[in-house]
């Protein structure tokens, strides 16, 4: 069962506990929180792109040995 109600400012969603596992529900809530934070962000697209590249570079630097060891 999945139902929802909308108002001018909110959406109320109701569903059975069996619809999503606890992990899936947590992921859904996290995704909605991130979306809310992003909507309030003052960051430009260029700044976001630079941050994205920096995070990817740092992640690769920290994890490359583990991945490369699996293909050698």
């Amino acid at each position: 069962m999945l139902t929802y109600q909308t108002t001018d400012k909110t959406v109320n969603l109701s569903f059975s506990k069996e619809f999503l596992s606890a992990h899936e529900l947590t992921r859904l809530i996290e995704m909605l929180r991130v979306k809310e934070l992003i909507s309030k962000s003052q960051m430009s697209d260029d700044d976001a792109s630079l941050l994205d590249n920096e995070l990817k570079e740092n992640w690769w630097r920290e994890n490359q040995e583990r991945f490369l060891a699996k293909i050698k």
Side-chain angles (χ1 to χ4, degrees), residues 25-54:
L25 180 58
T26 300
R27 298 265 306 162
L28 175 62
I29 292 168
E30 288 172 351
M31 182 188 70
L32 293 171
R33 285 183 180 153
V34 167
K35 189 164 179 68
E36 178 184 26
L37 290 171
I38 289 170
S39 73
K40 295 177 181 178
S41 173
Q42 301 293 318
M43 185 179 283
S44 70
D45 288 347
D46 288 340
D47 288 341
S49 182
L50 289 171
L51 179 59
D52 178 53
N53 289 334
E54 181 181 336

Side-chain angles (χ1 to χ4, degrees), residues 4-70:
Y4 66 93
Q5 292 179 313
T6 60
T7 68
D8 289 342
K9 296 185 179 190
T10 65
V11 175
N12 296 311
L13 181 62
S14 178
F15 51 86
S16 171
K17 283 186 172 184
E18 291 86 28
F19 190 70
L20 295 174
S21 70
H23 175 72
E24 291 170 322
L25 180 58
T26 300
R27 298 265 306 162
L28 175 62
I29 292 168
E30 288 172 351
M31 182 188 70
L32 293 171
R33 285 183 180 153
V34 167
K35 189 164 179 68
E36 178 184 26
L37 290 171
I38 289 170
S39 73
K40 295 177 181 178
S41 173
Q42 301 293 318
M43 185 179 283
S44 70
D45 288 347
D46 288 340
D47 288 341
S49 182
L50 289 171
L51 179 59
D52 178 53
N53 289 334
E54 181 181 336
L55 292 171
K56 288 176 185 173
E57 289 172 12
N58 290 342
W59 184 91
W60 179 246
R61 204 172 15 260
E62 293 172 6
N63 293 283
Q64 68 181 340
E65 289 182 28
R66 181 170 52 101
F67 278 91
L68 294 177
K70 291 180 181 180

